[in-house]
Amino acid sequence: MDLNRLSSAEITNLWTHYIRESMAICVSKYVLKDIKDTDIRSTFESALRISNNHIKKLKKLFTQEKFPIPNGFTDEDVNMKAPPLFTDNFWLMYIYGMTMHGSSLFSLAFNSSARQDLRDFYYQCVNDAMNLYNMSLDVLISKGLYEKSPYFSTPQKVDYIKDLSYITDILGKKRH
C-alpha cells in the first residue's frame, strides 16, 4: 500500500475544499465592500485571511502532487458593483452557520486522510474554523442576536419506562 499516493477520498476532500474556499473568498470580498459594523467586518476579514491561506496551501499540495488546480470561483463570478443583498446581521448569521459546517467537513476530511501532511493540514483547518466560529458566536452574543437552544425542566428523579402507554399520547387513542 502506497501511503504517499493520494487516495480517492483525499483527492475528493482537497478538490471540494478548494471549490468551497474559492467561493468563500468571493463571498467575503463581496460582503466586505459594504459591511458597516466593525465587529462583523473584523470577522469577515479573518474569514478572508483564513480562506486565502487555505487556498495557498491547497495550491501547493496540488502542485507538488502534479494534480491540476481546480477551476474554482474567481472575481469574475461576482458582480462587485451589485448593491448589498443582505444586512450586516444576516451576514453575521451566515458566517456563524458556515463555520459550523466547515468544522464538520474538515473533521471528516481529517478522518479520511492517511497522509500525515493532509492530517496536519485538516487539523489546522478544524482549528481555524473553530476559532472563526468562536469569533462569530461572540459577536452574535454581544449584539443580542444569538438564540440559545430551548431548556428542559430538570427532572427530580430517574424514571424508567414500564410500558408503552406513553406512545398513545403521541399517536392518539390505543386501538383494540
Side-chain angles (χ1 to χ4, degrees):
M1 176 174 19
D2 183 6
L3 290 181
N4 289 322
R5 186 172 174 208
L6 289 173
S7 71
S8 58
E10 291 167 337
I11 291 168
T12 299
N13 289 330
L14 292 169
W15 194 90
T16 55
H17 185 178
Y18 187 91
I19 300 301
R20 283 193 317 267
E21 291 291 1
S22 67
M23 184 190 79
I25 288 170
C26 290
V27 170
S28 292
K29 285 180 178 179
Y30 176 79
V31 171
L32 285 167
K33 79 177 184 64
D34 291 311
I35 208 150
K36 304 287 185 266
D37 186 286
T38 56
D39 295 327
I40 301 170
R41 171 176 286 284
S42 177
T43 304
F44 270 91
E45 287 169 345
S46 294
L48 181 59
R49 199 169 30 259
I50 289 167
S51 291
N52 279 322
N53 188 34
H54 289 182
I55 285 286
K56 189 184 310 178
K57 289 179 183 175
L58 288 162
K59 282 182 177 178
K60 183 178 177 187
L61 277 165
F62 286 129
T63 301
Q64 82 185 32
E65 294 299 320
K66 297 176 179 49
F67 195 91
I69 295 171
N71 291 331
F73 292 90
T74 68
D75 290 343
E76 294 173 15
D77 295 308
V78 181
N79 179 0
M80 295 299 278
K81 294 178 182 172
L85 291 173
F86 303 109
T87 65
D88 289 7
N89 289 345
F90 170 87
W91 287 118
L92 178 59
M93 293 298 292
Y94 169 86
I95 197 75
Y96 169 74
M98 292 306 284
T99 57
M100 282 193 284
H101 297 299
S103 61
S104 297
L105 294 169
F106 295 144
S107 293
L108 291 171
F110 174 86
N111 289 328
S112 62
S113 297
R115 284 179 31 171
Q116 185 66 51
D117 62 335
L118 297 182
R119 285 183 283 139
D120 291 345
F121 174 56
Y122 282 113
Y123 182 84
Q124 183 59 53
C125 290
V126 169
N127 285 329
D128 291 342
M130 288 173 29
N131 288 335
L132 195 55
Y133 171 85
N134 278 334
M135 181 184 290
S136 64
L137 180 57
D138 289 344
V139 176
L140 280 168
I141 291 169
S142 75
K143 297 187 176 307
L145 298 172
Y146 180 71
E147 291 289 330
K148 201 169 181 182
S149 298
Y151 294 99
F152 288 112
S153 352
T154 305
Q156 301 301 313
K157 61 183 175 77
V158 175
D159 202 9
Y160 293 95
I161 296 173
K162 295 176 184 76
D163 59 47
L164 297 178
S165 63
Y166 72 94
I167 279 192
T168 59
D169 292 341
I170 297 169
L171 302 175
K173 291 186 177 186
K174 188 173 181 181
R175 295 172 72 177
H176 297 281

